Amino acid sequence: MSGLQKHVLVVANETLAGEELLDAVRRRAAEGPIRAIVIAPVNEPRAGYVVYRNSRRATAGRRIDRMIAELRAAGIPAHGDVFEGGPVAAVEDVLALEDVDELIVSTHPEEKSGWVRKKNVLSELRRLAGDRPFTHVVSDVTARTGRVNVLVVANETVLGERLLDHIRERAAQGPAGFLIVSPQSDPGRGEHPEAERRLRQALATLRDEGIEAHGQIAHPDPYAAAMQVIEDERVDELIISTFPGERSGWLRRDVVERLRKDAGVPVEHVVAELPSAAPLEGLRQ
């Protein structure tokens, strides 16, 4: 190898685990000396509050650590970090802070990638790259590893044993990560202590059992909350939990069937047991 060392910005999150990305960086290093700057942007939810925000950062951080270890083992100097705010903001920040000569961006295939589908993120990254060489690497991590992202939509039923058991059973079938979205009950309030308490308790229960789970309080409409996540992130399956029959406001609004029609992923409906002191009317979920 000869010539000056080039600084290559590597941008990915879930696909940091992909051999396609690692191979692309190795091939670039074979052309001449490089230093890799590896970043994992973590998307902020469009609405709502992330619960256990640090757990999402920690998961992305572990992917970065593995990628950096692989690159260093291949003789490629590398360092990296997790950035919040999404890929465009992350790349803007790095370009302002570091000298970058080239960019390599890795995504899932188009049908699974929020970065490809959403708001022309790739076009924005190409624009930010300017005259710098820009490489887009497609990595189908799901097909190779079998790992799936499961979106769970539940609020008052999030601690129900039927839902938790269903999540446990799905986790036992193969590698999976779960994002639990709890639509807020009162959109006029800035804080939602009861919903957050339930969500934190559910997440703690699952995580204590070794299940990868994150959560957020979200848009008050469960259909809109689910569709926003599906647009913003990779979702392979959807689980929605409601109270039974006419006791459920979500079923009266036909939320489950609307999601089955529009989500574009398999949708499972878990019917929760009623609380022992449940009123005959007024259950939102």
Side-chain angles (χ1 to χ4, degrees):
M1 293 188 296
S2 62
L4 296 176
Q5 185 184 68
K6 299 289 188 179
H7 290 191
V8 178
L9 178 59
V10 179
V11 187
N13 191 333
E14 288 187 346
T15 58
L16 283 169
E19 284 295 324
E20 297 92 340
L21 177 58
L22 185 57
D23 287 345
V25 179
R26 286 174 179 150
R27 286 195 301 271
R28 176 58 190 85
E31 298 172 4
I34 67 169
R35 175 179 294 276
I37 306 163
V38 184
I39 66 170
V42 176
N43 283 332
E44 294 288 340
R46 192 187 314 177
Y49 314 93
V50 172
V51 178
Y52 283 5
R53 183 188 306 272
N54 288 343
S55 71
R56 302 186 80 181
R57 286 186 59 91
T59 300
R62 287 192 292 271
R63 295 189 189 110
I64 281 185
D65 290 344
R66 287 194 295 269
M67 180 68 168
I68 288 174
E70 292 275 6
L71 293 176
R72 289 175 177 170
I76 302 170
H79 67 279
D81 205 350
V82 177
F83 283 74
E84 293 185 356
V88 174
V91 170
E92 283 181 324
D93 287 346
V94 175
L95 293 180
L97 294 171
E98 303 210 34
D99 291 328
V100 173
D101 300 298
E102 305 174 23
L103 284 80
I104 299 176
V105 177
S106 177
T107 71
H108 295 288
E110 181 175 358
E111 66 276 10
K112 299 177 182 178
S113 172
W115 292 9
V116 176
R117 296 193 312 266
K118 177 191 173 187
K119 298 179 181 178
N120 299 314
V121 167
L122 276 181
S123 297
E124 280 297 297
L125 295 181
R126 290 182 190 275
R127 181 187 63 79
L128 290 174
D131 295 333
R132 301 175 183 91
F134 183 100
T135 303
H136 176 210
V137 176
V138 176
S139 179
D140 197 348
V141 176
T142 306
R144 186 175 59 258
T145 66
R147 185 189 186 281
V148 297
N149 285 356
V150 183
L151 172 62
V152 180
V153 183
N155 187 353
E156 294 172 62
T157 64
V158 74
L159 287 171
E161 280 303 312
R162 290 182 186 172
L163 176 60
L164 294 177
D165 284 345
H166 194 84
I167 292 173
R168 292 179 182 113
E169 291 168 5
R170 181 62 191 85
Q173 294 172 14
F178 297 84
L179 173 58
I180 304 177
V181 167
S182 290
Q184 53 191 321
S185 301
D186 183 355
R189 295 176 57 189
E191 296 183 355
H192 310 276
E194 282 304 305
E196 289 197 13
R197 179 193 62 78
R198 289 191 296 264
L199 182 54
R200 287 180 185 276
Q201 187 175 339
L203 292 170
T205 297
L206 295 170
R207 290 170 63 82
D208 285 349
E209 298 175 19
I211 296 172
E212 181 187 329
H214 313 284
Q216 70 185 58
I217 306 300
H219 192 288
D221 178 71
Y223 174 88
M227 294 304 293
Q228 283 180 358
V229 174
I230 289 169
E231 180 180 346
D232 291 350
E233 303 193 26
R234 178 174 69 88
V235 173
D236 302 299
E237 302 173 12
L238 191 156
I239 298 169
I240 181 168
S241 173
T242 73
F243 289 116
E246 289 301 312
R247 304 289 181 90
S248 168
W250 290 8
L251 289 182
R252 291 196 297 272
R253 288 150 58 191
D254 206 26
V255 171
V256 175
E257 291 307 314
R258 288 163 61 202
L259 286 173
R260 283 178 171 153
K261 176 176 179 290
D262 298 336
V265 298
V267 176
E268 293 190 72
H269 178 206
V270 175
V271 179
E273 63 276 19
L274 282 170
S276 57
L280 290 179
E281 296 179 352
L283 292 175
R284 297 183 180 90
Q285 188 180 337

